[in-house]
Structure formats: structure tokens, C-alpha cells
Amino acid sequence: MSQPIAGLVFDKDGTLFDFRNSWGRWAQGFIAAMAQDGHHADRMGQAIGFDLMTSHFAPDSPVIAGTASEIAGALLPTLPNFNHDTLTGMIDEAAAKATMAEAVPLHPLLRQLRGAGLKLGVATNDSEVPAHAHLAAHGLTDYFDFIAGADSGYGAKPGPGMCLAFAQATGLAPAEVAMIGDSRHDLEAGRAAGMVCIAVLTGLASHADLAPHADVVLPDIGELPGWLKLG
């Protein structure tokens, strides 16, 4: 690191929250609620790269790093009675009610990071309303100085807009900030913003997938205090 890290901006799904445990349940429930029959459910699952039998996501599933709009676009051919905007809204509504599984115990970790004087933010390709709902459900909102979703006006990852907005909101130079995420979208966004890029393995991507795009790959965000040498 060329200068000390003063801020951390986190992806949400697969980083703060374990991806498979959180979004596998959501996909099962959303498809069950929308499908006309088992064959239709299979078609919906295939459209978003989700195996209903195993609850596994394909590496290119739009649910992994895409926006609600992108998920809606993938599902729309299987749901011809809906328009894109209506379906996007339904996805956001269902996502806001999804039960998230913490990747690590978040309260003690975030308390330690805040106690060390670090500014904290969230930049997610989920929409802003579900992002706030998930953080609030776990009592985490007050730890963060900045929370943005793909519809917050800064663009979606892999664009750098949300990362740069976090830096501006906290008065930090991008080089003082680390972007932490579980996908190439996260790391490419951080790199485009001029930030340190930290990959974690609590999403669906492997070490080999992420290492070429990251300054460091950690098992999970619980390793951050040690990596930052916070003691």
C-alpha cells in the first residue's frame, strides 16, 4: 500500500453476507411464488443460472453481480405477462424481504473497524431499498457513512461511480480507500476508481478467478483487522 487505508467500501452480497446461503433461499422463494408449474419453475431457474435442485448458481448468473433490472431482463422471456419495470419492482420488493446470512459476525468486526477510525461504506449492485433493509434487519446501518445501490444515481459496478461517491462523501482520496468484494465487478470498480482492491471468498468466485484482479485475496472480511494490522 502506498499510503495508509483510511476507508473501506464493502460490496454487500457475498462480502458482508454469505451469498449462497442468502440468495439461494431468495431465488427458491421468488421462483416458487411466480412459477405456474414445475416446468415453468425450471425455465425460470435456467434463465437466471440457478439450479432449483441444488440451489447452486452458475458463474454467469445475473443474480451474482447484476442489478435487479438485469435479473428482470433475464427472467422476462419466461414471464411474458409482465413488463420490465413491473418485474424489476417485484424483484426489489422480494429482495428487501430476503433473509441475509452474515458472512462473519458483523457487529464486532464493524465496531473494531470504526473504533480504529476507518470510514465505512457499502456499494452494491442490489437496489438501494433492499440494501438498507438488509443492513437494518441486522442492526448495521449506523456503522456506515455511505450506502449506495445500483439505482442511487452513481451507476452500477464495474463502473467506479459508487466507489468515487464514497470517497467524495467521506473526504478521502481514492488511494486511501480499499474496495472489498467477492466478484470481478467489485474489483474492477475499485481498480477503475484508483482504490486498493481486496477480494474475499464468501461469494461464488474462486481464488483463481479473483487473484488477477485483486491486491490481496482473503478468506473473508473477518481477516481485515489482521491485514490492516489493527492489533
Side-chain angles (χ1 to χ4, degrees):
M1 292 180 291
S2 58
Q3 60 189 100
I5 297 297
L8 303 172
V9 58
F10 294 88
D11 170 56
K12 178 171 69 73
D13 303 315
T15 303
L16 292 172
F17 300 110
D18 180 273
F19 189 91
R20 196 185 306 278
N21 287 338
S22 301
W23 289 101
R25 289 196 297 259
W26 173 84
Q28 290 277 6
F30 186 80
I31 290 172
M34 299 291 287
Q36 298 167 359
D37 53 36
H39 178 66
H40 188 207
D42 288 339
R43 287 178 53 221
M44 289 180 65
Q46 290 167 9
I48 58 170
F50 180 69
D51 188 320
L52 286 162
M53 294 294 294
T54 64
S55 286
H56 285 184
F57 290 92
D60 61 350
S61 168
V63 180
I64 296 173
T67 64
S69 178
E70 290 167 338
I71 298 168
L75 282 171
L76 204 55
T78 72
L79 296 166
N81 294 329
F82 295 88
N83 65 46
H84 183 270
D85 289 346
T86 298
L87 188 55
T88 300
M90 294 174 70
I91 289 168
D92 277 340
E93 183 178 355
K97 299 173 183 176
T99 301
M100 297 289 104
E102 296 183 6
V104 300
L106 291 175
H107 279 278
L109 172 64
L110 296 174
R111 194 179 303 119
Q112 181 180 7
L113 296 174
R114 290 286 295 193
L118 292 162
K119 300 290 186 181
L120 305 180
V122 174
T124 175
N125 270 359
D126 200 355
S127 300
E128 186 173 326
V129 168
H132 276 278
H134 297 158
L135 295 171
H138 289 256
L140 302 172
T141 307
D142 289 346
Y143 289 111
F144 295 101
D145 303 284
F146 176 90
I147 300 167
D151 59 350
S152 297
Y154 309 114
K157 296 173 291 186
M162 285 188 278
C163 294
L164 293 173
F166 168 77
Q168 183 175 22
T170 54
L172 298 174
E176 296 178 278
V177 178
M179 173 68 206
I180 304 143
D182 67 299
S183 76
R184 282 185 58 177
H185 274 20
D186 302 320
L187 305 175
E188 289 171 358
R191 190 70 70 208
M195 297 178 172
V196 174
C197 295
I198 300 174
V200 292
L201 301 177
T202 40
L204 302 182
S206 68
H207 188 287
D209 293 331
L210 300 177
H213 310 281
D215 295 295
V216 63
V217 180
L218 302 177
D220 55 56
I221 57 173
E223 302 292 319
L224 283 169
W227 186 78
L228 292 164
K229 297 181 171 57
L230 298 184

